[in-house]
Amino acid sequence: MFKNEYLQRVYAQVEQRNPGEKEFLQAVREVLESLEVVVEKHPEYEKAGLLERLVEPERFIQFRVPWVDDAGNVHVNRGFRVQFNSAIGPYKGGLRLHPSVCASVVKFLGFEQIFKNSLTGLPMGGGKGGSDFDPKGKSDMEIMRFCQSFMTELSKHIGQFTDVPAGDIGVGGREIGYMFGQYKRLRNEYSGVLTGKGLAFGGSLVRTEATGYGLCYFTEEAMNCMRKDSFKGKTVVISGSGNVAIFATEKAVQLGAKVVALSDSAGYIYDKDGIRLDIVKDIKLERRARISEYVKEVPTAEYHEGCSGIWTIPCDIALPCATQNELDEASAKTLVANGCKVVCEGANMPSTPEAVEYFLANGVLYGPAKAANAGGVATSGLEMSQNSLRLSWTFEEVDERLKDIMKNIFHNAYEASKECGAEGNLLIGANVAGFQKVAEAMMAEGIAY
Ligand code: NDP
Ligand code: 2IT
């Protein structure tokens, strides 16, 4: 609960204005709870209505997305874009296509993105979007028609200097390509309006791998500084089997770890000998099939229905990389009881507040999403820089920059945790470090009234 009266008042107003928006309220509460020390130190923030402004999106766009399936039937989905905060740069953040997408989910993601983007040190504001469209089982042409219809409306609200979307759950290179093509047709403009583009039309090397790789760079640096330890020889459990999970697996293995489990929304696989990533890539990236297929090719591995069971597998390091609130208090207790010492988040808000509290109270090295998974958007920022320069950097150059950014994020969060009198609490550290630059910019830009 909040001790500070200003924080109490702001949160009460957010609750009143956004009734029933569970995920959004969860994300706001977590950030505000971290800001006690900062707000006590800066009474000028209250005078400037800084937090009231911070928790209200600058703009929230909701629109109809009609599309026609292969049989000629008309469908209507709901599209969203939240342009949350542009204090430090154009709105930036991914697009998610999943049936669970709603105002609350888009706003929680957009709110988190403000602080994450600030932590990268690059000039990007916070935004997010998507649709409740379900890409599962759709043909390539259906995906194309949906993406085109979605962009027909979205194109009116975005631009290289205004708002630059990218991928998230259900949106990868294929979808970004279709959306980019439609934007170009409608606006007659060739610009870096989206990131995560194909290499042939302005994409950056390493963007595909960036979130998973960045997660491992962050985790390695945190383990090194806080525990004098590393990935070498560790057993790792990773949830999800999408973009983030796959490249987190790849990097963890390169750093000397053994990844023994992956999942999707139906169940998880356990391979005590270490997951064969070439097989997973073929199943998920080439065939777009279910993770259960793995045991057909590796009969010594196990498949279990239900995704939360993955947290019962003993491991040294857990990297949740699927979705929000996928790891609850019971799972946190099981992980810790089985010897897990490090939890760093590849997904956005994957641990429930109770799970986070349990990790922090039980000496787990906990790396919160907005710090640990910032490598994706950081590399999107590098893609924007390359687009502006009309240049493409090499894989090694982008990878080196990503590594530096992730190390800096860890150190900034760690230093901020010390300054707040909460050494090692990277949740408080990341929230405070991300907030500071945004607050400074919002104080400087004045209020239009
Ligand atoms: P993908 O669509 O590539 O993969 C998502 C994975 O998570 C799939 O394995 C999917 O399983 C699983 N998943 C999705 N929803 C659920 C659910 N409700 N319950 C259980 N499992 C689920 O997405 P990404 O890998 O890109 O994203 C994963 C997470 O990482 C998200 O939280 C995203 O916001 C975050 N993230 C992504 C970044 C990026 O650059 N892509 C950057 C930073 C964070 P199934 O196939 O069965 O649905
Ligand atoms: O959650 C995230 O940071 C992303 N989905 C990546 C956003 C981006 O603009 O690259």
Side-chain angles (χ1 to χ4, degrees), residues 224-293:
N224 179 22
C225 287
M226 292 170 68
R227 300 281 190 272
K228 296 275 162 276
D229 209 341
S230 73
F231 268 104
K232 214 171 167 59
K234 300 291 186 300
T235 299
V236 183
V237 164
I238 300 182
S239 64
S241 49
N243 172 269
V244 180
I246 285 175
F247 292 103
T249 302
E250 185 163 288
K251 186 52 72 178
V253 170
Q254 283 174 15
L255 292 171
K258 181 159 86 169
V259 177
V260 294
L262 288 172
S263 62
D264 61 21
S265 58
Y268 67 93
I269 51 166
Y270 173 56
D271 187 340
K272 62 178 183 350
D273 302 323
I275 298 278
R276 293 268 311 272
L277 196 58
D278 53 333
I279 296 176
V280 173
K281 281 185 177 175
D282 180 57
I283 295 169
K284 299 308 282 191
L285 304 180
E286 301 300 323
R287 290 154 46 197
R288 297 181 190 274
R290 309 307 296 160
I291 199 69
S292 55
E293 295 286 302

Side-chain angles (χ1 to χ4, degrees), residues 96 136 168 170 207 211 241-244 265 290 322-323 347-348:
R96 177 178 292 192
K136 281 201 189 80
D168 194 81
R207 177 60 189 90
T211 311
S241 49
N243 172 269
V244 180
S265 58
R290 309 307 296 160
T323 195
N348 285 306

Side-chain angles (χ1 to χ4, degrees), residues 94 96-98 100 108-109 113 116 128 134-136 166-172 207-208 210-212 239-246 263-267 284-285 289-291 307-308 320-324 326 345-350 369 372-377 380:
R96 177 178 292 192
L97 299 183
H98 193 272
S100 62
F108 116 66
L109 290 164
Q113 203 80 43
K116 184 195 303 192
K128 199 82 186 192
D134 186 358
K136 281 201 189 80
D168 194 81
I169 291 177
V171 176
R207 177 60 189 90
T208 305
T211 311
S239 64
S241 49
N243 172 269
V244 180
I246 285 175
S263 62
D264 61 21
S265 58
K284 299 308 282 191
L285 304 180
R290 309 307 296 160
I291 199 69
C307 39
S308 65
C321 294
T323 195
Q324 65 272 5
E326 55 164 312
E345 299 179 328
N348 285 306
M349 209 167 74
N373 76 25
V377 75
S380 280

